[in-house]
Amino acid sequence: MNVEIAGLTRHFGRNQAVAGVDLEAGPGVFGLLGPNGAGKTSLLRMMATVLSPSAGKMRLLGRDPGSYGPRREIRRRLGYLPQNLGYYPSFTVVEFVEYFALLKEMPAARVPAAVAAAVERADLGDKARAKLRTLSGGMLRRVGIAQAIVNDPELLLLDEPTAGLDPEQRVAFRALLRDLGERATVVVSTHLVEDVGAACTEVALMNAGKIVFRGTPEQLTARGEGHGVGDAPLERGYSAVLTEARS
Amino acid sequence: MTLTDAPARPRPRDAGRASPMSLWRLLWLELRRNAMPWMFPLLAALFVFDPFRTAMGYGPFWDLRASVLENKLLPDFVLFVAGVAAWMGSRDSRRHTRDLVDATARPRWTAQLTTWAATTLWVAAGFLICVAVLYGVTASQATWGGPPWWPVAVSLAELALISALGFAAGTFFPSRFTAPLAAVGAFLLCLEGFRNAVGRSSVYALLSPTTSVPDDDTGLFRHYLPDVSIAQLMFLIGLTLVVLAALGLRRAADAGPRLRRAAAVIAVAGLAAAGTAIGLTGTARTQAYGTVIPALHDAANDRPIPYTPVCGQAAGVPVCVHPAYRNFLPAMTAALAPVFRQIASLPGAPARVDQVAVNDLIASNGAAITGVPPVFRLPVPATPDETSFGQNASTFSSYLQSTLVTGFVLGAHGFVAYGPPVGTPAQQAVVLALLQKAGTAIQTGAGPESAHAKAEQVAAAARRFAAQPAATRHAWLAGHLAALRAGRITLAQLP
């Protein structure tokens, strides 16, 4: 099991961002849905080991991230794309991806090939030597994806990965997600339910810091039959579950 | 199979182990994309218009020219180094990459040290290029000695400290205003702040490199004393280690036990080095040839530097100078020859001119012409002012003539440089007359009315004496020189 979470809680002052989440996941693409402020990003940041939980237990890739040695091992095997991707404008695409490959402590000999592969998989081959300051928002998002997958992660955490991508890129990205999900655990936090329907094998819906639904996209769709609002069946399931949770 | 019951994928055995090579590669990336090189055009312009121009105004003496490294070039660099280091230190916060960096396996402290090292290496490279230009030009002009490296080492250590302080400021207080504030703060600290903090007259002000100005003749007649430089290096390197360790200790919770221990050891070592330097500096005492710290002092440095003088002739009188002044010998003989022609064969006229260290002459109570046969011991300050080598040729010539004539007329205690007239009115008048005949114009100067009237009387007597035929002046001096030196001749008694 790559992700084992029990009673995970995180407070920011009086605000409880994550309230006792239980979650287990193995290889595959796991969708994390929810409205703004549901706690998705906080949960992902805790799974990325950059935010410590206030309470609860978490094991990632069979290790306890609370201890330094295991945490470092987890980070070597982790890919993370934050919601607000920062970047160094003067770096080229290749340099930026290589920089994070080196920070992830990849063996130097493996880095050039891994960087080239990640850049190609993110469909940035023709922009490999471009400075980041010259790229569009969608391209920068793909750079973020490239740096997240450069170390061939066993646990890949993507926070709003398709934000800024055009429809064609989103279709290609979903294919990439499915491919990655065959070998690794991919957790995708998104607002876009169509991404979940197309790429995820399992989905969780968060509201007010708690997971209020857990199942397959088909099960979520089924919850919307005769209920909810939305154009697509999955959206109706999403709104039906949220309405039920809020009531 | 669902997500939850699929087995975790086994990891290849060779994965996830970083090699030292990857750290070098990381440093290379930081070097390529560092902001410091963007400052080089500005630094180059500053270097040309301030330190380099100042140094070229000095004579081609190694230690003198090297003094601009600490007094001019260092403050120029400090401004930019602190700003750029703060800018680089705040990069992850400004660019919102903290989460990205934090989620990687390499400890954040290591990544920060790599960024700091890249910034500091660029700083060092820029500084050393300036040193190379300055020393290269000096090497093509100097006739003696070699480049002093202590000021270079101390300057580099101070730049490393400023870089660390700026970087820490950027890390601890990440804001777009941090860089300019750090730049201004470091500049003021470097120039005035440190000295004011410890007290201007305090011996601890020596710990700041910009307070050090070489003594006259340092590196020519006497060895450069590295005592203070050693203490400065210990102090600056110690503080640099403390600041860098503080970056690691700040993230102690996220670092491993080895890194925490390393940061703690580095901090303690840095504190020990800085504390030792402060203690040693407290024992410093100023001697005739520089500042001495007993525990660091090498007695061998107290011995004069052996050299073979270079000699020329001024109206038949040998003029010998230190080989570092070889290029100025023709100007010296040309300046002294007209005076020697007027005083040749007179009692007490020098039979030889020897250049001596300024401090040696001060120690011997200013006796300019001594010995049998008389030797004119000529001090020439290397410290740049209007009388030193490499300055205005006519001013320098006047200085040499004035020193010789005054020493000759006033006797054993007649050494003066520039300043108010010395001696009796008759002595002053004879000095002025001899100088006028040697090519230096008589100036009565300004002042209170009574002083002005007295100076006019002296000038009139000087003109009258100078108007006499050379043989008449020479004969009068031969007969009255002893009385003149004793102060028994009045203005009215002058021919």
Side-chain angles (χ1 to χ4, degrees), chain A residues 1-2 24-30 45 48 50 68 71-73 75-78 80 82 84-92 95-96 98-100 102-105 107-108 110 131 147 151-154 183 201-202 214, chain B residues 1-12 14-19 21-23 25-26 29-30 32-34 38 91-92 95-107 111 115 253-257 259-260:
Chain A
M1 201 62 62
N2 283 345
E24 288 188 338
V29 182
F30 191 97
R45 290 186 73 210
V50 295
Y68 173 72
R71 183 167 65 240
R72 197 169 174 185
E73 279 302 319
R75 286 175 174 176
R76 285 194 181 112
R77 294 159 162 78
L78 179 73
Y80 176 46
N84 298 315
L85 174 71
Y87 62 94
Y88 308 136
S90 60
F91 278 52
T92 65
E95 286 170 347
F96 188 74
E98 181 183 2
Y99 185 79
F100 280 94
L102 294 167
L103 286 185
K104 291 174 180 185
E105 296 193 325
R110 281 181 50 204
K131 293 269 179 72
Q147 67 78 28
N151 58 332
D152 191 17
E154 292 170 51
R183 302 203 305 147
T201 47
E202 195 166 357
R214 171 85 188 272
Chain B
M1 186 170 67
T2 66
L3 280 177
T4 50
D5 57 17
R9 178 163 57 97
R11 187 78 178 169
D14 69 329
R17 282 289 174 270
S19 64
M21 206 52 214
S22 63
L23 207 56
R25 184 67 196 167
L26 204 58
L29 282 175
E30 290 284 8
R32 283 190 66 169
R33 298 302 169 202
N34 198 274
W38 292 100
R91 184 181 64 178
D92 285 337
R95 304 307 314 177
H96 306 293
T97 50
R98 283 188 65 167
D99 272 7
L100 268 183
V101 175
D102 283 351
T104 59
R106 199 176 287 282
T115 311
D254 199 41
L259 275 182
R260 277 202 300 271

Side-chain angles (χ1 to χ4, degrees), chain A residues 2 26-29 153-156 179-186, chain B residues 9:
Chain A
N2 283 345
V29 182
E154 292 170 51
L155 176 60
L156 180 59
D179 183 40
L180 292 167
E182 287 179 9
R183 302 203 305 147
T185 300
V186 182
Chain B
R9 178 163 57 97

Side-chain angles (χ1 to χ4, degrees), chain A residues 38-60:
Chain A
K40 304 186 298 293
T41 294
S42 295
L43 179 59
L44 243 62
R45 290 186 73 210
M46 284 190 281
M47 291 168 71
T49 71
V50 295
L51 185 67
S52 346
S54 305
K57 290 184 177 175
M58 178 164 63
R59 285 182 72 80
L60 302 169

